[in-house]
Amino acid sequence: MSNLTAGVVIIGDEILSGRTQDINANFIAKELVKVGIHLKQIRIIRDEQKTIIDTVIKFHKSFTYVFTTGGIGPTHDDITSQSIAIAFNKKYCLHPKAFKILKEYYPSGEFNEERQRMAIMPENAALILNPLTAAPGFKIQNVYVLPGVPNIMKMMFSNLLKHIEKGEAKKVVTINTNLYESIIA
């Protein structure tokens, strides 16, 4: 049995309001089983600085890996990067490599102030590259910060799994039946 554990933090008011259905947690859970990392907890939280800070620090201390999704885009409610900088007592500043990646990605005149916000993150954070839309996520200690958009998150998560320690994969067999649990029991 693997000693590698994980916690997932889904960040977004849109998930808690029911406006958006979370599919990231299910994807991450399935992928972690395949690579032998035991998912211990999934928590969905608001776009609220104190809640993000408290949850990320608690998970950081409790699990081998922490994966967050959501709140790193260009809009006013995207406060995950700043919250994580505060959680780890890091300066929240422009990441030169992230800025360069984004500047090269957007056509001339389209790299506006809002998009530039996606290059501001905790100082010295390691980038998690985004082959789809260029806007990177980042890693600080054992916390991997990913976007909430499912197709982008899935691609980035799959790539980052190639670079972390894995355990022994767990084989899962599903048997479908039309019987109720009470009959089977």
Side-chain angles (χ1 to χ4, degrees), residues 164-182:
I164 65 174
E165 182 182 355
K166 295 172 254 328
E168 188 176 323
K170 183 177 182 180
K171 184 172 177 143
V172 177
V173 176
T174 303
I175 300 170
N176 294 312
T177 179
N178 61 354
L179 298 174
Y180 295 110
E181 282 183 348
S182 60

Side-chain angles (χ1 to χ4, degrees), residues 20-90:
T20 302
Q21 182 179 8
D22 171 59
I23 58 175
N24 290 337
N26 181 264
F27 175 81
I28 292 171
K30 287 178 181 176
E31 294 302 303
L32 291 175
V33 166
K34 290 179 191 175
V35 298
I37 298 172
H38 186 72
L39 179 58
K40 302 287 253 175
Q41 192 172 144
I42 297 171
R43 189 171 298 171
I44 301 172
I45 62 172
R46 297 179 47 87
D47 290 303
E48 184 177 79
Q49 191 172 75
K50 181 175 178 359
T51 304
I52 295 169
I53 292 167
D54 293 347
T55 305
V56 166
I57 288 299
K58 181 175 186 202
F59 276 44
H60 159 69
K61 291 176 179 177
S62 301
F63 308 118
T64 311
Y65 299 112
V66 179
F67 303 102
T68 75
T69 70
I72 63 170
T75 61
H76 72 283
D77 63 337
D78 289 319
I79 61 168
T80 299
S81 297
Q82 183 177 20
S83 300
I84 290 176
I86 293 167
F88 287 97
N89 296 311
K90 297 284 186 180

Side-chain angles (χ1 to χ4, degrees), residues 96-113:
K97 185 175 178 185
F99 187 85
K100 182 178 186 292
I101 289 168
L102 290 164
K103 187 173 183 181
E104 289 174 359
Y105 176 78
Y106 287 105
S108 181
E110 291 185 24
F111 188 41
N112 58 30
E113 190 175 323

Side-chain angles (χ1 to χ4, degrees), residues 17 23 52 78 86 106-107 114 134 139 141 147 156 158 162 174:
S17 71
I23 58 175
I52 295 169
D78 289 319
I86 293 167
Y106 287 105
E114 289 76 22
K139 173 189 178 265
Q141 295 187 33
M156 292 172 70
S158 295
K162 297 173 188 174
T174 303

